[in-house]
């Protein structure tokens, strides 16, 4: 009976079969194309089957190769799920691992987390800071904070708060720059916002804010567009611009005096989109998650405009 290829070999086979390109598979795996080709050849020799047909310009999976690639993908996923479960079991029942993006962490959660620790000293919070959407079955996380529509099959999703987009600037700019008495005065300042749209919903920009303020001749080509809201907010804190920002993400900057609101007018993002606290339905009765959920919802309620 021929021995089976090892896990590393199966990962190489799965990547090569998915990309149908040894160079791209090598980039993903951190190998050289020659190493990938050599490992595939070793698997073929070990099993006594041809997995790929090769030409000077391309490779294709044989029928046997396709069958083994599919099985390799399933096996790797099963192993990843088992590893994730093993890690959760190993760290016991006192740790709670939360995954969230850097902006929500720095601008909202980290400023409040000491309150949770005082209420629940028996729960050790750990954080996974990433903009990637983690998989509860594959990744070592218990709870996620996600921005989206809250429709996640098999998961519970509790709405935290809506997103109110408001103009903000540095108090220095308000005190020493061109006056900001009416919305049209903004024409004399550098204006920044982010550009984001998904499923027909557009994040409020300066053109939309000006229209809501009754200014119908605003030239939006003069506004500066950022891809990250943290950059827009930092430009405002530095005193170089007036930014459109999510109230929840600048609430602390406002209360601590780093930012001010030159105008009260805000625009709500579509109710379809919001920040959600997300966790598997199978773990909703976990005391750690229940405690964190209750505390998060209470804190979120305090954040509403």
């Amino acid at each position: 009976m021929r021995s089976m290829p090892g896990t590393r070999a199966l990962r190489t086979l799965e990547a090569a079969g998915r990309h149908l390109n040894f160079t791209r598979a090598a980039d993903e795996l951190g190998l050289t194309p020659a190493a990938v080709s050599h490992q595939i050849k070793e698997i073929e020799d070990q099993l006594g089957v041809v997995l790929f047909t090769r030409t000077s310009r391309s490779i294709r999976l044989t029928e046997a190769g396709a069958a083994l690639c599919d099985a390799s993908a399933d096996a790797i996923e099963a192993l990843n799920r088992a590893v994730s479960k093993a890690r959760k079991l190993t760290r016991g029942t006192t740790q709670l691992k939360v995954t969230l993006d850097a902006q929500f962490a720095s601008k909202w959660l980290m400023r409040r987390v000491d309150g949770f620790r005082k209420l629940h000293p028996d729960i050790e919070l750990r954080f996974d800071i990433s903009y990637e959407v983690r998989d509860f079955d594959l990744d070592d996380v218990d709870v996620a904070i996600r921005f989206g529509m809250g429709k996640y099959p098999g998961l519970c999703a509790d709405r935290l708060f809506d997103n109110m987009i408001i103009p903000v600037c540095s108090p220095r700019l308000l005190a020493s720059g061109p006056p900001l008495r009416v919305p049209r005065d903004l024409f004399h300042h550098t204006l920044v916002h982010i550009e984001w749209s998904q499923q027909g919903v557009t994040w409020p920009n300066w053109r939309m804010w000006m229209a809501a303020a009754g200014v119908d001749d605003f030239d939006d080509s003069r506004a500066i567009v950022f891809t990250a809201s943290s950059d827009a907010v930092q430009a405002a804190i530095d005193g170089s611009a007036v930014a459109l920002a999510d109230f929840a993400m600048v609430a602390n900057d406002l209360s601590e005096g780093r930012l001010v609101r030159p105008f009260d007018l805000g625009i709500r993002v579509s109710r379809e989109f919001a920040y959600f606290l997300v966790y598997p339905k199978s773990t909703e009765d976990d005391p750690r998650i229940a405690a964190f959920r209750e505390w998060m919802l209470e804190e979120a309620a305090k954040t509403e405009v």
Side-chain angles (χ1 to χ4, degrees):
M1 182 175 179
R2 297 180 185 274
S3 60
M4 290 291 295
T7 304
R8 183 176 298 178
L10 292 180
R11 287 186 182 278
T12 302
L13 173 59
E14 188 277 331
R18 178 161 35 87
H19 290 292
L20 291 180
N21 184 289
F22 288 171
T23 299
R24 287 198 290 271
D27 290 341
E28 178 182 313
L29 298 169
L31 302 173
T32 64
V36 170
S37 179
H38 178 72
Q39 199 157 39
I40 295 299
K41 185 66 169 60
E42 282 191 338
I43 299 172
E44 290 179 324
D45 291 343
Q46 181 181 357
L47 298 179
V49 297
V50 176
L51 302 175
F52 293 89
T53 56
R54 302 162 176 81
T55 68
S56 59
R57 295 189 177 184
S58 65
I59 62 171
R60 290 186 299 109
L61 282 165
T62 63
E63 187 175 354
L68 192 54
C69 275
D70 289 343
S72 297
D74 292 341
I76 291 167
E77 182 174 348
L79 284 170
N80 285 336
R81 291 179 188 276
V83 168
S84 174
K85 184 176 181 179
R87 284 174 174 163
K88 290 176 182 177
L89 291 171
T90 299
R91 56 182 168 85
T93 58
T94 59
Q95 283 188 15
L96 183 70
K97 196 162 185 180
V98 183
T99 180
L100 70 166
D101 66 55
Q103 174 176 273
F104 196 99
S106 63
K107 290 296 186 180
W108 197 88
L109 184 60
M110 295 307 178
R111 297 171 182 269
R112 295 167 171 81
V113 76
D114 281 347
F116 178 84
R117 287 175 169 148
K118 289 175 182 177
L119 283 173
H120 302 281
D122 55 321
I123 299 176
E124 181 186 354
L125 286 180
R126 295 288 182 91
F127 299 101
D128 169 61
I129 309 299
S130 175
Y131 284 99
E132 293 184 13
V133 176
R134 301 302 194 192
D135 185 320
F136 289 104
D137 288 332
L138 299 177
D139 297 306
D140 182 23
V141 296
D142 301 301
V143 179
I145 296 169
R146 295 180 182 173
F147 180 78
M149 300 179 71
K151 298 176 181 178
Y152 308 110
L155 304 178
C156 297
D158 297 307
R159 178 186 287 268
L160 295 178
F161 38 70
D162 297 330
N163 302 91
M164 175 68 78
I165 309 307
I166 60 170
V168 294
C169 66
S170 163
R172 299 189 307 279
L173 183 146
L174 193 63
S176 60
L180 285 171
R181 301 187 183 93
V182 296
R184 194 174 290 276
D185 290 339
L186 287 163
F187 286 18
H188 304 295
H189 291 267
T190 300
L191 305 179
V192 300
H193 64 259
I194 65 167
E195 190 173 79
W196 180 92
S197 63
Q198 188 172 318
Q199 299 185 15
V201 175
T202 299
W203 194 266
N205 53 40
W206 276 112
R207 177 182 55 77
M208 296 164 65
W209 189 92
M210 289 290 185
V215 178
D216 57 8
D217 59 343
F218 175 67
D219 179 9
D220 60 0
S221 66
R222 61 193 305 273
I224 297 174
V225 178
F226 287 97
T227 56
S229 56
S230 57
D231 293 334
V233 170
Q234 191 59 51
I237 291 174
D238 291 343
S240 59
V242 183
L244 282 179
D246 183 350
F247 173 82
M249 296 299 106
V250 296
N252 285 297
D253 294 314
L254 290 167
S255 65
E256 295 169 8
R258 286 182 293 276
L259 291 173
V260 294
R261 293 177 68 171
F263 302 102
D264 290 333
L265 176 65
I267 302 178
R268 287 193 183 276
V269 178
S270 170
R271 286 273 308 171
E272 295 176 272
F273 286 86
Y275 282 103
F276 289 88
L277 182 68
V278 183
Y279 45 93
K281 289 181 179 179
S282 59
T283 61
E284 63 180 323
D285 294 328
D286 185 316
R288 299 167 301 162
I289 293 176
F292 189 69
R293 173 186 180 275
E294 181 181 4
W295 176 80
M296 282 287 293
L297 293 178
E298 289 178 357
E299 290 297 314
K302 301 174 187 177
T303 309
E304 293 287 356
V305 179

